Amino acid sequence: MSLMVIAHLLDRYGPLLTEEQLARVLHMEPGTVRNQRVSLGIPVIRRGRTPLYHVEEVAAYLDRLRALAGSAADPHPCATNELDEAR
């Protein structure tokens, strides 16, 4: 988990983010965050009826996204070899 991400989120939003703040961080609409609450996989803390998200859980989610994006950007080794052989 990236400590820089946690430090940035703590400095900007405090230890708990609202749905609106999480939407801003994820570049989504608040309604999308509400609708995809379960599929995002970020644990929800309830304060009364208000859903809140802990900064460390949000940072872990961003790290998972970064890892998925990094693995998708890496070409498959076989595909690279096929391209080299074609040249």
Side-chain angles (χ1 to χ4, degrees), residues 12-13 18-30 33:
R12 188 161 186 155
Y13 301 108
T18 64
E19 280 185 342
E20 289 76 22
Q21 292 169 331
L22 179 62
R24 204 171 311 128
V25 169
L26 298 179
H27 301 281
M28 295 179 169
E29 292 294 321
V33 171

Side-chain angles (χ1 to χ4, degrees), residues 4 8 10 16 19 24 28 35 39 52 54 62 65 67 75-76 80:
M4 292 298 292
H8 173 74
L10 276 171
L16 297 173
E19 280 185 342
R24 204 171 311 128
M28 295 179 169
N35 292 336
S39 64
L52 300 169
H54 196 276
L62 292 173
L65 282 181
H76 191 275
T80 305

Side-chain angles (χ1 to χ4, degrees), residues 17-19 34 37 44-47 49-53:
L17 281 75
T18 64
E19 280 185 342
R34 255 187 308 284
R37 188 179 294 152
V44 177
I45 300 167
R46 292 250 179 218
R47 183 175 293 159
R49 294 182 62 178
T50 306
L52 300 169
Y53 302 86

Side-chain angles (χ1 to χ4, degrees), residues 64-86:
R64 288 192 303 271
L65 282 181
R66 190 176 302 115
L68 286 173
S71 65
D74 294 336
H76 191 275
C78 294
T80 305
N81 291 339
E82 291 171 6
L83 289 174
D84 292 338
E85 291 172 5

